[in-house]
Amino acid sequence: MATEELQKVFDDKIAEEIRIEPKDWMPDDYRKTLIRQISQHAHSEIVGMLPEANWITRAPSLRRKATLLAKVQDEAGHGLYLYSAAETMGITREEMVDQLLSGKAKYSSIFNYPTLTWADIGAIGWLVDGAAIMNQVPLCRASYGPYARAMVRICKEESFHQRQGFEILLTLCKGSKEQKEMAQDALNRWWWPSLMMFGPNDDTSPHTAQSMKWKIKRFSNDELRQKFVDVCNEQADILGITIPDDKLVWNEKRQHYDFGEINWNEFFNVIKGNGPCNKERLAARVSAHENGEWVREAALAYARKKAPKSPSGEFESFRN
Ligand code: BYC
């Protein structure tokens, strides 16, 4: 088929809400956009394990430790589904890992902030996983099949994470004066970075318009951020703590909360690599990769021994 015909088949599928699958023809830019988004999403899940893992050894009870351990493991699983989804588009896992470790690929800005107290673990669950769900539930309807299907399972797990975070904060807020102050301090530090997770405002976002045409994104960055602000307000009331924004006010006409200006200089500075923990996060990933080399070698050697010989006499790669 000529390219114009292939393009038409692709456009019709998008219009009719038929999923694009790995073997289907797709425009180069669609492939490029998805590789960028899915791989950065995968990196975010993997780097996102670090701030929370910081508290596994110091969780205040066995129940909290077991839950946090399970949550951090879930994030590893999310990273792996997403790397697999990206691989269906023709990029290898090694290439993606190289892009992360060399600093070429982005990952979510939020994971470049430190977790200073136990309340931060509650705030991450409530706000960071909460923002993630708001952004990711619509991705379950993304036009690319493997990405959309990976997101279904991820979202189920993220909602559990969000609830465990909220419950940590609720416990602290019902506790002593010091505990409530710790919860408020965590909210003060995590609120604005959580709003930044949704990405730049629509008028400065280079990718949103095209990604919405392709039905990768179903809502714009600002639309999702607004939904998030609206739900968090009610949840903060239940907790009895205050969102650190004096411009936050219900707008009867818009039927939404108005809120203050995000510090976009801070956001762009963080995604350029200059946030409080960027260097530490990358160093941790590089070290984990280097220390895991023997595991990769052993797995490969085992797979070579087990794998059937290909007709050329070469051993199949264990991932083929
Ligand atoms: N941080 O045109 P835009 C999680 C970049 S994992 C860093 O709006 P797009 C979790 C953007 O990449 C959370 N960079 O782009 C894990 C682009 O740069 P490039 C991650 C950001 O792609 C563990 C440029 O800014 N979630 O929740 O249309 C524990 C322009 O942006 C950020 C996902 O990855 C940011 N916050 O929209 C707990 C979800 N925002 O690539 C929780 C999937 C923007 O041109 N991704 N940039 O160099 C998406 O939905 C979209 O990619 C985004 C950005 C909404 C994030």
Side-chain angles (χ1 to χ4, degrees):
M1 258 199 263
T3 310
E4 298 81 59
E5 285 173 69
L6 291 166
Q7 177 75 51
K8 182 167 180 336
V9 173
F10 172 85
D11 291 342
D12 288 348
K13 280 192 180 162
I14 298 284
E16 288 162 31
E17 302 278 335
I18 299 172
R19 291 253 161 84
I20 307 300
E21 296 296 339
K23 288 190 175 153
D24 293 343
W25 183 91
M26 60 189 87
D28 286 347
D29 284 346
Y30 177 83
R31 188 185 297 276
K32 218 170 108 194
T33 293
L34 275 162
I35 290 179
R36 176 184 64 77
Q37 176 165 328
I38 304 173
S39 63
Q40 292 185 1
H41 192 168
H43 300 327
S44 304
E45 300 283 355
I46 299 298
V47 177
M49 295 165 74
L50 296 168
E52 291 184 279
N54 182 34
W55 278 90
I56 292 173
T57 54
R58 289 172 290 159
S61 70
L62 183 59
R63 180 169 84 92
R64 294 292 188 202
K65 191 193 284 278
T67 316
L68 183 57
L69 195 59
K71 178 186 192 297
V72 172
Q73 281 179 336
D74 285 351
E75 308 302 355
H78 300 172
L80 298 185
Y81 316 145
L82 288 164
Y83 282 130
S84 298
E87 281 175 303
T88 66
M89 305 218 87
I91 186 166
T92 66
R93 183 85 55 107
E94 290 72 16
E95 283 172 288
M96 289 185 273
V97 171
D98 277 353
Q99 289 172 356
L100 171 66
L101 301 183
S102 65
K104 201 175 144 217
K106 291 193 173 71
Y107 57 85
S108 183
S109 49
I110 194 75
F111 301 118
N112 293 305
Y113 292 85
T115 39
L116 303 179
T117 72
W118 171 250
D120 289 17
I121 299 306
I124 290 184
W126 174 37
L127 298 173
V128 176
D129 287 272
I133 296 166
M134 196 57 85
N135 163 269
Q136 292 173 19
V137 166
L139 291 174
C140 298
R141 293 190 292 121
S143 54
Y144 187 57
Y147 190 30
R149 289 188 286 273
M151 291 316 305
V152 172
R153 179 153 175 195
I154 293 178
C155 284
K156 285 187 185 155
E157 292 175 353
E158 298 290 23
S159 355
F160 177 73
H161 297 167
Q162 195 266 352
R163 273 172 264 175
Q164 68 83 38
F166 189 80
E167 201 250 339
I168 290 176
L169 285 183
L170 195 58
T171 307
L172 291 173
C173 289
K174 283 190 195 149
S176 65
K177 182 171 163 284
E178 287 77 10
Q179 284 172 316
K180 194 166 179 186
E181 279 168 7
M182 199 161 84
Q184 179 66 59
D185 171 62
L187 172 57
N188 294 348
R189 285 180 291 104
W190 289 93
W191 175 251
W192 291 104
S194 299
L195 296 193
M196 294 174 196
M197 282 177 73
F198 294 93
N201 285 140
D202 294 350
D203 53 1
T204 54
S205 155
H207 303 300
T208 295
Q210 182 58 61
S211 287
M212 287 183 72
K213 279 190 200 142
W214 278 326
K215 297 184 181 166
I216 296 171
K217 286 168 102 164
R218 298 283 179 158
F219 295 96
S220 72
N221 300 355
D222 286 333
E223 284 169 339
L224 291 172
R225 188 168 14 247
Q226 180 69 64
K227 282 171 185 261
F228 179 70
V229 171
D230 291 346
V231 298
C232 285
N233 232 293
E234 287 165 25
Q235 294 166 351
D237 283 348
I238 296 168
L239 293 171
I241 48 181
T242 311
I243 291 178
D245 179 358
D246 53 17
K247 299 217 167 63
L248 190 69
V249 59
W250 178 250
N251 183 324
E252 194 57 40
K253 210 164 133 203
R254 291 200 312 120
Q255 290 289 301
H256 287 294
Y257 282 90
D258 289 338
F259 56 99
E261 183 61 23
I262 289 170
N263 181 346
W264 291 113
N265 283 341
E266 175 180 326
F267 170 77
F268 287 113
N269 206 31
V270 171
I271 67 173
K272 262 189 237 139
N274 304 319
C277 299
N278 294 60
K279 291 187 180 59
E280 191 185 316
R281 300 289 182 241
L282 218 50
R285 286 312 313 155
V286 169
S287 150
H289 190 72
E290 285 169 358
N291 291 329
E293 193 173 350
W294 69 270
V295 181
R296 292 191 297 281
E297 271 173 18
L300 204 58
Y302 180 77
R304 285 206 174 111
K305 214 171 135 199
K306 284 268 171 195
K309 274 189 175 176
S310 67
S312 66
E314 294 289 313
F315 289 109
E316 301 281 2
S317 151
F318 72 101
R319 242 190 281 114
N320 283 344

